[in-house]
Amino acid sequence: MRSFGVLLAVVTTSLLPSACLPEAVPCPAIAQAPVVSLTVAASYAPAVKAIHLKACQDGTCREADLELMPGSTAVDLGCEPSGGPDGTCSATSSPDGTLTGMLMMDVLTESRIDATATGTTTAGAPLPARNLSFTPKADYPYGEQCGKFVTASLVLDADGLRQAG
């Protein structure tokens, strides 16, 4: 009986430390591209032919003519009930009338960015130069254990250049 008590004490004390350790949370195996993204608002997109974006951060400037692509929004198609938490859900993308483009940076930090957007209209006239100084946003979309994502997103419309919400 005494050996059973010793065995029970050894097993119990060996399990206690492992019960106190935090569970390892899996992180997605994705990397973030260091880009400044620009969305031309749907109300302004029909007038825009081309956009040139310049962005300066921490003494380094990058600029390029953006390749503008049609923007889209996600449309929820609902879920199929399966009688549990493992139901199948789906969505599709639908054009939303915007145009989107990205400027690749060497590195993207939480430091201020000075951005200038210029371009041409569909009639060939120059668009007014729009300037904005803004601070990129930092977030932990997968939890702090998975690392920080820094995003720099802009919206261009007839009123000017602003940071995306």
Side-chain angles (χ1 to χ4, degrees):
M1 183 71 166
R2 182 174 170 191
S3 62
F4 177 72
V6 170
L7 177 63
L8 181 61
V10 168
V11 169
T12 304
T13 56
S14 67
L15 290 178
L16 284 177
S18 65
C20 296
L21 294 176
E23 260 186 65
V25 177
C27 295
I30 58 174
Q32 180 185 15
V35 299
V36 175
S37 65
L38 180 124
T39 299
V40 179
S43 60
Y44 197 49
V48 174
K49 179 179 180 179
I51 295 290
H52 183 87
L53 184 63
K54 179 179 180 180
C56 299
Q57 184 180 50
D58 298 326
T60 301
C61 295
R62 301 284 292 184
E63 62 182 299
D65 293 328
L66 301 186
E67 181 179 349
L68 295 175
M69 306 295 288
S72 62
T73 187
V75 177
D76 183 0
L77 296 179
C79 298
E80 293 180 16
S82 68
D86 296 328
T88 303
C89 299
S90 61
T92 188
S93 63
S94 176
D96 64 2
T98 64
L99 295 172
T100 62
M102 293 181 284
L103 176 65
M104 185 66 79
M105 303 290 283
D106 293 329
V107 176
L108 187 62
T109 69
E110 293 176 77
S111 299
R112 185 186 86 221
I113 294 177
D114 296 314
T116 301
T118 56
T120 56
T121 67
T122 52
L127 290 171
R130 305 295 189 167
N131 300 301
L132 180 69
S133 291
F134 70 102
T135 303
K137 295 180 180 181
D139 193 18
Y140 296 89
Y142 305 106
E144 289 188 22
Q145 74 282 357
C146 293
K148 176 174 31 181
F149 277 59
V150 178
T151 57
S153 302
L154 301 172
V155 175
L156 178 66
D157 60 21
D159 295 328
L161 193 59
R162 61 182 159 78
Q163 189 169 10

